[in-house]
Amino acid sequence: MAKRPRSSTGPRKKPAPPTLVPQRIAIVGAGMAGITCARTLAQAGHDVTVFEKSAGASGRMASTDTAFGSFDTGAQYFTVRDPRFELALATAPNAARRWSANAVRILDEHGQVSSPSLPHPEPHWVGVPAMNRLVRDWAAPLQAQGRLLTQTRVSALQRDTLQPQRWQLHTAGDDGSSQVHAGFDAVLLALPAPQAAELLAAVPSAGALAEALQPVTIAPCWTLMLAFPQAVQPGLTTLGPQWNAARSTHHRIAWLARESSKPGRSQIERWTVQASDVWSSEHLDDSAERVQGKLHRAFVDVTGIHAEPSHIALKRWKHAKTLKALGQTHLWDPANGIGLCGDWCLGHRVEDAFVSGLSLALSLS
């Protein structure tokens, strides 16, 4: 039998991996999902610009500073279940710590403890010295490179006038200025679903994406902040209950937390109270004065703290807690170059926002 002649070209070489073609990408929203997506794409070599209407990165991992200490006005804590989230946390080792109040009490509608703690408690994590620290640490390199534009609200998304295959964003600044940022290969919306739908409504080719958002339901939330500096004195460490965090079935209140019990916070006793989604929806358009009065009375009923707070303030979140999620990690339309991500894709956890932003970035890189 004749021998097969050897190939003159030698051993077959493995095909070279495809070369990354850097894209110019706009990301709208600098919360956990948006910053996770942005830093992943930037690390892959893409040219990323993040637009954020607030003064800094954080989204619903927001914190408010006062003369009495900070308040976490949005997310109260986060869990670490996904191994990728655990690895990401290791890149900012000083930005988060475990909160010892993971034995969250369960209260009945009268403020009585109906269960000593949640079943199967898992570690609760918080940003240090405030919840916004983690996202801001991750956003810092982007900001240093001029890739994070704060106090810049995106008002419209359109095809680029000079390059119709690309996108341009119309923005408005807090000072009344307006600009057009053009030449983007892709636009990623890291916004609550209703806000993303508003931008997509004016984009004729994005009808399928806008339709996919319709089943998503997100409830509002009123958040009350109270400070009691009179509790810091000899022989008195706290006011009211001995627990530091609780879920409540009171018709007005869903969550209470003693902010001063969180690691890295000042010792002045401070409480954050978050209203239930049903009550917040019913009173969404009430005056701040009326809402504050009603929530303060409910706080007194639940905690038994009758002392007058030295500081009391209110914040309204129009889009706070996902009631019905999208059911997939993200949305990406490669033909249009438009993507969407956010916690609402999977649920309402901080970790859901991280997974969603990461998954969208990986679908592009």
Side-chain angles (χ1 to χ4, degrees), residues 282-337:
E282 292 174 348
H283 298 271
L284 182 62
D285 296 319
D286 286 6
S287 68
E289 182 181 10
R290 185 166 185 259
V291 170
Q292 182 173 293
K294 286 181 174 293
L295 285 181
H296 187 200
R297 286 193 292 273
F299 169 79
V300 173
D301 292 341
V302 171
T303 63
I305 299 177
H306 292 269
E308 193 66 24
S310 296
H311 171 83
I312 183 167
L314 195 67
K315 181 176 178 62
R316 185 182 72 164
W317 294 94
K318 291 188 69 175
H319 311 292
K321 182 181 179 181
T322 305
L323 301 182
K324 184 176 181 181
L326 178 68
Q328 59 192 73
T329 58
H330 64 282
L331 291 171
W332 169 235
D333 180 354
N336 267 316

Side-chain angles (χ1 to χ4, degrees), residues 198-237:
E198 288 179 11
L199 285 176
L200 294 177
V203 182
S205 61
L209 286 175
E211 185 177 354
L213 297 179
Q214 291 182 4
V216 177
T217 306
I218 303 177
C221 180
W222 280 105
T223 298
L224 182 70
M225 296 161 275
L226 309 104
F228 301 91
Q230 61 267 47
V232 184
Q233 55 183 286
L236 181 63
T237 55

Side-chain angles (χ1 to χ4, degrees), residues 244-290:
N244 291 323
R247 299 190 184 281
S248 169
T249 58
H250 190 286
H251 70 286
R252 293 181 189 170
I253 294 177
W255 170 264
L256 306 95
R258 182 181 273 119
E259 289 285 351
S260 42
S261 72
K262 295 178 180 179
R265 272 59 169 180
S266 70
Q267 293 184 348
I268 293 177
E269 177 148 347
R270 304 181 308 287
W271 287 84
T272 295
V273 182
Q274 293 184 326
S276 69
D277 48 45
V278 173
W279 193 87
S280 294
S281 297
E282 292 174 348
H283 298 271
L284 182 62
D285 296 319
D286 286 6
S287 68
E289 182 181 10
R290 185 166 185 259

Side-chain angles (χ1 to χ4, degrees), residues 25-36 38 48-63 132 135-136 139-140 142-143 146-155 169-175 177 179 181 184 187-192 195 199 315 317 341:
I25 301 171
I27 297 178
V28 185
M32 172 59 78
I35 292 301
T36 298
V48 177
T49 303
V50 183
F51 298 84
E52 170 56 44
K53 66 179 182 179
S54 301
S58 67
R60 277 171 287 169
M61 291 184 75
S63 303
N132 60 16
V135 174
R136 293 195 174 188
L142 296 167
Q143 192 157 21
R147 297 185 178 193
L148 173 58
L149 306 182
T150 57
Q151 296 178 311
T152 305
R153 182 177 63 86
V154 175
S155 57
L169 278 64
H170 293 253
T171 65
D174 284 356
D175 58 358
S177 62
Q179 283 188 281
H181 302 261
F184 293 105
V187 177
L188 311 180
L189 305 180
L191 299 169
Q195 293 179 348
L199 285 176
K315 181 176 178 62
W317 294 94
C341 63

Side-chain angles (χ1 to χ4, degrees), residues 88-105:
L89 285 178
T91 66
N94 299 317
R97 286 171 55 188
R98 286 178 61 165
W99 180 23
S100 60
N102 54 328
V104 176
R105 302 297 192 265

Side-chain angles (χ1 to χ4, degrees), residues 85-138:
F85 191 33
E86 185 175 10
L87 288 173
L89 285 178
T91 66
N94 299 317
R97 286 171 55 188
R98 286 178 61 165
W99 180 23
S100 60
N102 54 328
V104 176
R105 302 297 192 265
I106 309 297
L107 307 181
D108 64 20
E109 59 182 6
H110 304 294
Q112 300 300 310
V113 176
S114 58
S115 176
S117 66
L118 289 170
H120 311 297
E122 59 184 323
H124 290 31
W125 292 79
V126 296
V128 177
M131 188 61 79
N132 60 16
R133 168 74 184 279
L134 179 60
V135 174
R136 293 195 174 188
D137 267 20
W138 285 347

